[in-house]
Amino acid sequence: LKDPTGKILLLCKGAESSVLEICDSGCVDVTRKHVDDYAAEGLRTLVFALREISPEDYVEVERLMTDCQNAISDRDQKEQLAFRTIEDRLCCIGATGVEDRLQDGVYETISALKEGGVKLWVLTGDKMETAVNISQSCNHFTASMKLHFLTARRDADSCKQTLESLLKLLEGTSRERAQTYGLIVDGTSLATCFATCPNLFLRTTLLCTAVLCCRLSPLQKAKVVRMVKEHRTNPVTLAIGDGANDVSMILEANVGVGIFGKEGRQAVRSCDFAIARFQYLRNLMFVHGHYYYRRIATVVFYFFYKNVTFVGPAICFLFMNGYSPQTIYSELQLIGFNLMFSALPIISYGLFEQHLPPTLLYEKPSLYKESAKTNLLHIKYFVAWMALALWNCFVIFLFDFSLFYDAGGFNSSQRVGGLWCYGTVAYTCVIFVINIMIALKTRYWVWFTHFTIWGT
């Protein structure tokens, strides 16, 4: 910016680990002491610095930024090079310490998430002391947990040695596995691990009970989420944040949750779900998430079931009509099956089904463990649904065929029913069977459920 006297000033703020390293003047030592004191009290810290830029330097800075914006390849690397060129020889101004109080219900929510089998990672840009204090106050780190630190490591061998010793503890005897372990990593050590031993780092962190990554940039947060998401076990990741520095992490995760906060609406605009407070995450996951997974699993299998049951009698009829293209269903019946007679019941199920009361799911987070295993969409359930569909269509065909075989079915003129009558009976049986099936699956009945099932 340009001040009233015409001077061009570059103002910079950030973590002390980044800003103080590029300061060559000002109150650097005093500011570092203030930051340590603020962090020990649990305050969120920022360091401020400035630099006066000459008109010639400003022209060069503008050229570098324009080249970065116009670059087609390696844009990130060029931007980092430009930033390092610009943010140099700064004058340290001072530091700020702001109290960031936890919202109501954070402690209870994190305790419930851990009880529900959810592994929690805290990714933050705060100083290590501040982040540890917050983690302990919100029950991310417990009093009995043994903490290991991987901080300020620029040497690859040092990082590997620390991770290997911790991994040996995590994979040790049964007595040692009974002990819970927490790992604290800062941005500098994380960059070293990503560059030298990413697999060892991921293997170790996944065995830890809790992981805290502090002094991370937004890009590093996204890299951590991507690393976990791409693990061979294909875990489902959820990222939650309230600020613009959480957007990259939210976009990278399988599910992104934004919190309406005082830091703007960037996180909310980039997320899949928006909530007003962190404590609402418990209701979002344990109640709505539980219901959604149960409903969608049944809906997917039921769509296959009802269509196989519908086309099965027509396929069986091919063996009786010499494999001709003649169908037993009329055009109106073919159109109306998915449009009128079988669509509304499963829509009602997908909207309103509750196999357990919401209060029970909220108060018993352990019930979420079954949903977290994602077993309801297993192939064995698909095979069971398909076997039931084949059995139903075969029984319907035999019933319909025996009814009309040897002049067994008559119309109002006492003549043997034709193809239309044969197909209508099979069609009616199919509608009856698939609706009885969804009625047997339904545990929570509302007036719309009665209307859609019995109305069809």
Side-chain angles (χ1 to χ4, degrees):
L1 56 86
K2 182 182 293 186
D3 67 2
T5 62
K7 294 181 179 179
I8 302 176
L9 301 177
L10 169 67
L11 298 180
C12 179
K13 70 177 179 68
E16 84 288 343
S17 58
S18 300
V19 177
L20 293 180
E21 291 182 356
I22 54 179
C23 291
D24 60 357
S25 62
C27 49
V28 177
D29 296 333
V30 176
T31 301
R32 182 176 285 109
K33 182 178 183 305
H34 289 168
V35 169
D36 294 338
D37 295 339
Y38 294 156
E41 297 178 8
L43 303 180
R44 304 189 69 174
T45 60
L46 278 178
V47 174
F48 293 84
L50 62 80
R51 171 189 169 191
E52 183 178 347
I53 300 178
S54 64
E56 294 78 11
D57 291 339
Y58 180 77
V59 173
E60 180 65 18
V61 167
E62 188 177 18
R63 185 190 64 81
L64 287 175
M65 297 305 300
T66 302
D67 293 342
C68 293
Q69 294 173 358
N70 297 333
I72 299 177
S73 61
D74 300 330
R75 178 176 296 180
D76 293 338
Q77 290 78 0
K78 292 180 180 179
E79 285 183 350
Q80 293 297 326
L81 179 61
F83 291 152
R84 284 195 297 267
T85 303
I86 298 168
E87 297 173 349
D88 190 24
R89 304 188 308 276
L90 301 181
C91 176
C92 179
I93 301 175
T96 60
V98 180
E99 181 182 8
D100 189 10
R101 296 179 58 188
L102 292 176
Q103 296 180 357
D104 295 336
V106 173
Y107 185 94
E108 293 79 6
T109 302
I110 290 183
S111 300
L113 291 173
K114 295 166 70 174
E115 184 181 348
V118 179
K119 180 164 289 190
L120 300 174
W121 290 38
V122 175
L123 311 179
T124 179
D126 292 337
K127 189 174 171 59
M128 183 187 68
E129 292 82 359
T130 304
V132 172
N133 288 334
I134 294 176
S135 293
Q136 291 173 342
S137 62
C138 68
N139 200 35
H140 181 235
F141 287 156
T142 60
S144 61
M145 187 176 295
K146 188 175 181 180
L147 301 182
H148 289 260
F149 293 83
L150 184 62
T151 57
R153 306 292 179 88
R154 299 180 182 274
D155 182 33
D157 295 334
S158 177
C159 286
K160 290 181 180 179
Q161 183 179 359
T162 303
L163 291 174
E164 288 173 353
S165 61
L166 178 57
L167 183 62
K168 188 177 299 184
L169 285 175
L170 295 170
E171 295 179 341
T173 62
S174 59
R175 181 185 63 83
E176 291 171 333
R177 283 200 299 267
Q179 172 70 48
T180 57
Y181 293 91
L183 180 62
I184 302 169
V185 188
D186 65 351
T188 303
S189 303
L190 184 66
T192 305
C193 292
F194 279 154
T196 58
C197 52
N199 294 329
L200 177 61
F201 176 75
L202 178 60
R203 183 182 174 188
T204 305
T205 52
L206 289 179
L207 292 177
C208 292
T209 308
V211 178
L212 169 63
C213 300
C214 55
R215 281 306 189 216
L216 299 188
S217 65
L219 183 60
Q220 285 180 316
K221 293 181 181 180
K223 287 183 177 180
V224 171
V225 175
R226 187 186 306 119
M227 175 190 68
V228 177
K229 187 175 68 173
E230 294 177 351
H231 188 254
R232 56 182 176 81
T233 57
N234 295 322
V236 179
T237 57
L238 181 147
I240 180 170
D242 63 349
N245 54 351
D246 300 319
V247 170
S248 300
M249 173 181 65
I250 290 174
L251 293 175
E252 185 64 40
N254 298 108
V255 181
V257 179
I259 302 177
F260 289 95
K262 296 181 179 180
E263 301 184 19
R265 296 289 186 268
Q266 290 88 344
V268 172
R269 289 196 293 264
S270 305
C271 67
D272 301 306
F273 302 96
I275 56 179
R277 290 181 174 274
F278 183 83
Q279 62 179 345
Y280 299 153
L281 180 64
R282 180 176 181 177
N283 193 60
L284 177 66
M285 291 184 58
F286 295 156
V287 179
H288 298 289
H290 194 100
Y291 284 154
Y292 171 79
Y293 179 64
R294 290 271 179 170
R295 293 167 182 171
I296 201 66
T298 303
V299 167
V300 170
F301 289 146
Y302 181 80
F303 266 100
F304 284 100
Y305 162 79
K306 71 183 182 67
N307 285 293
V308 170
T309 304
F310 176 61
V311 302
I315 295 176
C316 294
F317 185 71
L318 292 175
F319 297 97
M320 303 300 170
N321 67 355
Y323 302 98
S324 71
Q326 178 64 50
T327 178
I328 62 174
Y329 301 129
S330 66
E331 290 80 0
L332 182 61
Q333 290 171 339
L334 291 172
I335 296 173
F337 178 74
N338 281 316
L339 189 62
M340 295 183 295
F341 296 109
S342 64
L344 288 179
I346 191 59
I347 290 176
S348 174
Y349 181 93
L351 291 176
F352 302 109
E353 174 61 12
Q354 298 180 9
H355 68 290
L356 290 174
T359 54
L360 180 62
L361 293 176
Y362 187 86
E363 295 172 357
K364 300 291 184 182
S366 57
L367 296 173
Y368 183 77
K369 292 181 179 180
E370 291 300 322
S371 296
K373 296 177 181 178
T374 64
N375 287 334
L376 294 181
L377 289 173
H378 196 272
I379 186 64
K380 63 180 180 181
Y381 294 108
F382 177 77
V383 172
W385 277 89
M386 291 302 97
L388 180 61
L390 294 175
W391 169 253
N392 288 343
C393 68
F394 185 67
V395 171
I396 291 172
F397 169 75
L398 290 181
F399 169 76
D400 199 18
F401 183 76
S402 63
L403 185 64
F404 286 87
Y405 182 75
D406 196 18
F410 298 90
N411 55 23
S412 58
S413 60
Q414 298 300 311
R415 295 180 179 178
V416 176
L419 182 63
W420 181 87
C421 186
Y422 178 87
T424 301
V425 172
Y427 188 83
T428 304
C429 292
V430 169
I431 297 297
F432 178 79
V433 168
I434 64 174
N435 282 290
I436 288 297
M437 183 63 188
I438 195 63
L440 294 175
K441 282 287 183 180
T442 302
R443 299 185 183 182
Y444 185 75
W445 291 79
V446 295
W447 69 267
F448 188 72
T449 306
H450 287 283
F451 172 77
T452 55
I453 293 180
W454 312 127
T456 53

